[in-house]
Amino acid sequence: MRYLILSDIHANWEALHAVLASAGSLYDRVVCCGDLVGYGADPDAVVQWVRNNVSSVVRGNHDKACAGLEDLEWFNPVARQSALWTQAATQPENIQFLRDLIQGPERINGFQILHGSPLDEDEYVVSEQDVAQVAPYLDCNVSFFGHTHLQGAFLCHRNGVKRLIAADTASGQEVLELENDVTYLINPGSVGQPRDGDRRAAYAIYEPAARLVSLCRAEYDVASAQKKILDAGLPELLALRLSAGI
Ligand code: ZN
């Protein structure tokens, strides 16, 4: 079984489409670490696709907010405006799907998926120190997470935490061979709003039997995604940041 690992799609249909074209037939199942919507202009298309194609998905903080489960006062003004726009622009059955998403971690075939940290879906895990703090709460040797929009992997060993791959992958693909008796916390990166200085859509492919994780990037039609954001009347910043991947 090979898994396509997605996270932080953020209603960016062009980016999702490019990831699926890039991954081709290299996977059997799709799982998602949350944030299907928010920021982007295609919430219905993305949620509908997830409903039809993703076998396991946990909710992200934007899914919670757009489903009306979060007090938007905690969001910055741009995120709040996009959450309100998404609530109004999304079909009721897709809002209901977001509302019903389970909170991670969710265990799947010996690994798990979660949004922020194993303790809190709103917590950012960015540094080695952050990983050291949450590592005791990881139930599996391999966990995939999102929320930071930074692609990369951490190895947790009794000697400490090591960052295995820098967030910025220049080649478009990095393959990681997983060792036994080591805990991994891996971020596939963000499909729809990368923030690691690489504008390409990010995803991962995991083959548990071969103990291989591929971290991948795919070029996508950024201009079309930007035009939709501007045409929808969403904040200009949300379109601009896609060009730079920040
Ligand atoms: Zn996100």
Side-chain angles (χ1 to χ4, degrees), residues 8-108:
D8 298 279
I9 304 169
H10 284 292
N12 186 335
W13 178 253
E14 284 71 25
L16 176 60
H17 194 73
V19 162
L20 299 174
S22 168
S25 58
L26 296 175
Y27 62 91
D28 307 295
R29 277 197 191 159
V30 191
V31 304
C32 179
C33 302
D35 276 3
L36 280 49
V37 299
Y39 298 141
D42 270 322
D44 268 326
V46 167
V47 174
Q48 198 60 50
W49 181 86
V50 169
R51 289 173 65 184
N52 293 337
N53 295 284
V54 174
S55 59
S56 298
V57 52
V58 294
R59 76 178 182 197
N61 55 315
H62 285 263
D63 304 321
K64 237 181 357 177
C66 295
L69 297 172
E70 182 93 295
D71 185 351
L72 294 179
E73 293 307 308
W74 293 98
F75 267 38
N76 68 53
V78 167
R80 190 184 313 140
Q81 197 182 331
S82 92
L84 291 170
W85 180 89
T86 303
Q87 286 174 0
T90 307
Q91 294 291 327
E93 68 265 27
N94 288 333
I95 292 284
Q96 189 61 46
F97 178 81
L98 296 173
R99 193 170 293 137
D100 294 340
L101 286 175
I102 55 163
Q103 185 176 357
E106 162 84 338
R107 203 175 174 129
I108 309 156

Side-chain angles (χ1 to χ4, degrees), residues 218-241:
E219 292 283 2
Y220 75 96
D221 185 356
V222 174
S224 290
Q226 289 174 313
K227 183 172 185 309
K228 285 183 183 175
I229 287 170
L230 296 174
D231 289 350
L234 283 159
E236 188 185 22
L237 175 71
L238 295 175
L240 292 175
R241 66 186 305 173

